[in-house]
Amino acid sequence: MARERKFSKEELYQITKKLLLDHGYDGYTFTLLANQLEVSRAAIYKYYDNKEELLIEYMVFELNTFLQHLKEISKKDTFMDQFEALFDIIFNDMSIYKIREIGMHIPTVNDKVAAYKKKLDRLHVELYDSLQGFIRLGREEKVLKEDIPSNLVLGMIFQTVNIPNTTGLTHLEWVNTLKKVICHGMFRNAN
Amino acid sequence: MARERKFSKEELYQITKKLLLDHGYDGYTFTLLANQLEVSRAAIYKYYDNKEELLIEYMVFELNTFLQHLKEISKKDTFMDQFEALFDIIFNDMSIYKIREIGMHIPTVNDKVAAYKKKLDRLHVELYDSLQGFIRLGREEKVLKEDIPSNLVLGMIFQTVNIPNTTGLTHLEWVNTLKKVICHGMFRNAN
DNA sequence: GTTTAAAGTTACACATATGTAACCAAATTC
DNA sequence: GAATTTGGTTACATATGTGTAACTTTAAAC
């Protein structure tokens, strides 16, 4: 009982992501967003009271989809299989880490945002638990060195994604080299 | 033949750094800067025509000091000594990588900025050469695996700095663990 | 075909950032 | 101690972003 929408939530999220990566939290504006969506700025206010509400909702969406992918990997039996799958997920969308960090900057401007933030926190706990299981398996299988803190293991994986591949290597070659380095280091001989 | 300045270039750079890290390029404003310096906004315009000029000059300063530190390490004889020293430099100021990335966003608004950008490019070449020598030494000494691209070696070192230490480990313990992982990997056995 | 409600636009009031011009303040030089 | 020069402030014009109210459009419901 209404007219057709000029933009979908998918479009909105996709453009939001691009704008966040290009301009950061402070540089993200409804003016930019409206231009990209080719609607008037006021149209966006039909759905969101301010950019904080939009962004926090987007963050929840982003973390949710990431979690769904992540849960797939916990179905794999061996640590190595899970490790490979985790790598695939992260390299499939290399911007998640950056996006998550930008998300930290969203101020709690009202109750709605506060509620979403709580939801985000719960998702982060889920994320942490899921990854914690992955690391536990690695230790149980005696693949991971046991003296390495778990957040270092995860940090290595999440951060190295951002190293720009400026070599002539293909994506696959690059990722494989990266994997090797993470697993066995850059040095020839142990000492 | 003039009155005393209310703020030094050091103060200006220090506050600029903080503001850039907190708000990113788009969020950095002369209004914020002036407030922090406790001068009127117009006072800043006595020295810089716009924020681009200030920021690009700051970037040159930042890269220059980093380069100076870097040149110290090339005096060390062995690759391992240079490796340790490089780690120290980077962990001494973990924000350089982020700052450099923000610097990429500065638009060339006039000739002055263009000139500074050229200078920045030259400094980046110097930086690259300096680090290239470090890696060459590592390969010559047969310490580094020779099939690892040099920008992966450098990327590993620069990126892992940003992994937050949320464990109970001291800074020193954390850095040592990180070093071990970069050198020899997270996995127990080679395969 | 009229009613209804969501979707969208235009226009305004307000806030904040920018760049500049006119003016005031203090230290130096003669 | 008057003139000069640099540092600093106030005030204004301009630009951009925000949030809202009044209005228009369109498709479904009756």
Side-chain angles (χ1 to χ4, degrees):
Chain A
M1 43 162 135
R3 67 195 275 191
E4 217 179 342
R5 281 186 56 162
K6 287 180 78 179
F7 63 92
S8 66
K9 208 157 235 188
E10 285 70 42
E11 280 178 88
L12 188 144
Y13 284 168
Q14 182 219 314
I15 291 168
T16 289
K17 181 176 197 166
K18 190 187 175 323
L19 291 177
L20 274 183
L21 290 173
D22 288 354
H23 300 280
Y25 175 74
D26 286 280
Y28 179 94
T29 65
F30 270 13
T31 308
L32 275 173
L33 180 63
N35 286 343
Q36 290 287 314
L37 286 172
E38 290 177 303
V39 292
S40 70
R41 191 171 49 83
I44 301 168
Y45 283 95
K46 293 275 156 169
Y47 307 98
Y48 303 97
D49 284 350
N50 46 56
K51 77 166 178 173
E52 285 74 27
E53 280 187 22
L54 190 157
L55 288 180
I56 200 82
E57 186 198 274
Y58 163 71
M59 293 300 304
V60 169
F61 159 79
E62 195 71 73
L63 194 54
N64 246 324
T65 53
F66 183 68
L67 247 174
Q68 280 181 328
H69 292 151
L70 210 58
K71 278 177 180 163
E72 287 299 309
I73 79 162
S74 55
K75 291 178 185 165
K76 308 250 175 194
D77 290 328
T78 70
F79 175 74
M80 270 318 289
D81 284 349
Q82 290 198 8
F83 179 76
E84 298 277 344
L86 179 59
F87 241 81
D88 284 349
I89 290 172
I90 293 169
F91 272 87
N92 190 42
D93 182 1
M94 322 209 293
S95 51
I96 289 165
Y97 206 89
K98 222 173 191 172
I99 293 277
R100 277 211 325 139
E101 212 209 307
I102 292 172
M104 313 272 195
H105 285 66
I106 302 172
T108 311
V109 292
N110 59 33
D111 292 357
K112 205 169 181 181
V113 174
Y116 270 113
K117 278 206 171 183
K118 275 197 180 172
K119 200 169 182 179
L120 255 189
D121 284 341
R122 282 198 299 276
L123 286 173
H124 271 120
V125 172
E126 258 193 86
L127 177 74
Y128 184 79
D129 288 347
S130 187
L131 290 169
Q132 214 59 36
F134 160 72
I135 287 167
R136 202 181 312 115
L137 184 63
R139 293 205 180 111
E140 278 168 12
E141 288 187 17
K142 308 271 180 196
V143 178
L144 277 177
K145 292 175 185 167
E146 75 275 280
D147 59 332
I148 303 176
S150 53
N151 75 314
L152 205 164
V153 176
L154 298 173
M156 284 289 281
I157 298 173
F158 278 93
Q159 285 285 9
T160 50
V161 170
N162 296 316
I163 303 173
N165 173 12
T166 56
T167 59
L169 296 180
T170 66
H171 183 71
L172 189 65
E173 290 170 331
W174 174 261
V175 173
N176 282 334
T177 313
L178 200 48
K179 253 186 236 173
K180 265 194 225 167
V181 172
I182 288 179
C183 297
H184 310 299
M186 306 193 306
F187 283 15
R188 273 181 151 168
N189 306 312
N191 47 351
Chain B
M1 42 164 134
R3 68 197 276 192
E4 217 179 343
R5 280 186 58 160
K6 287 180 80 178
F7 63 92
S8 65
K9 207 155 236 188
E10 285 68 42
E11 281 178 88
L12 188 145
Y13 284 166
Q14 182 219 315
I15 291 168
T16 289
K17 181 176 197 166
K18 192 187 173 323
L19 291 177
L20 274 182
L21 289 172
D22 288 354
H23 300 280
Y25 175 74
D26 286 279
Y28 179 94
T29 66
F30 271 12
T31 308
L32 276 172
L33 180 63
N35 286 343
Q36 290 287 315
L37 285 172
E38 290 178 304
V39 293
S40 71
R41 190 171 48 81
I44 301 168
Y45 283 94
K46 293 277 157 171
Y47 307 99
Y48 303 96
D49 285 351
N50 46 56
K51 78 166 176 172
E52 284 75 26
E53 281 187 21
L54 191 157
L55 287 179
I56 200 82
E57 186 197 276
Y58 163 71
M59 293 300 304
V60 169
F61 159 80
E62 195 71 72
L63 195 54
N64 246 325
T65 53
F66 183 68
L67 247 174
Q68 281 182 326
H69 292 151
L70 212 57
K71 279 178 180 163
E72 286 299 308
I73 79 162
S74 54
K75 292 178 186 165
K76 307 251 177 194
D77 290 328
T78 69
F79 175 75
M80 270 318 289
D81 284 349
Q82 290 197 8
F83 180 76
E84 299 277 344
L86 180 59
F87 242 80
D88 285 349
I89 290 172
I90 293 170
F91 272 86
N92 190 40
D93 181 359
M94 320 209 295
S95 50
I96 289 164
Y97 206 88
K98 224 174 191 171
I99 293 277
R100 277 211 326 138
E101 212 208 308
I102 292 171
M104 312 272 196
H105 284 66
I106 302 172
T108 311
V109 292
N110 59 33
D111 292 356
K112 206 169 180 179
V113 173
Y116 270 112
K117 277 206 171 182
K118 276 197 180 174
K119 200 169 182 177
L120 255 188
D121 284 341
R122 283 198 297 276
L123 287 172
H124 272 119
V125 172
E126 259 193 84
L127 177 74
Y128 184 79
D129 288 347
S130 187
L131 290 169
Q132 214 60 34
F134 159 73
I135 287 169
R136 202 181 313 116
L137 184 64
R139 293 204 179 112
E140 277 169 15
E141 288 187 18
K142 308 270 182 197
V143 178
L144 275 176
K145 292 176 185 166
E146 75 276 280
D147 59 330
I148 303 175
S150 53
N151 75 314
L152 204 164
V153 176
L154 298 173
M156 285 291 279
I157 298 174
F158 279 94
Q159 284 285 9
T160 50
V161 169
N162 296 316
I163 303 172
N165 174 12
T166 55
T167 60
L169 296 180
T170 65
H171 183 71
L172 189 66
E173 289 170 330
W174 174 260
V175 174
N176 283 332
T177 312
L178 200 46
K179 253 187 239 175
K180 265 194 225 166
V181 172
I182 287 179
C183 298
H184 310 298
M186 306 192 305
F187 284 15
R188 273 183 152 165
N189 306 311
N191 49 348

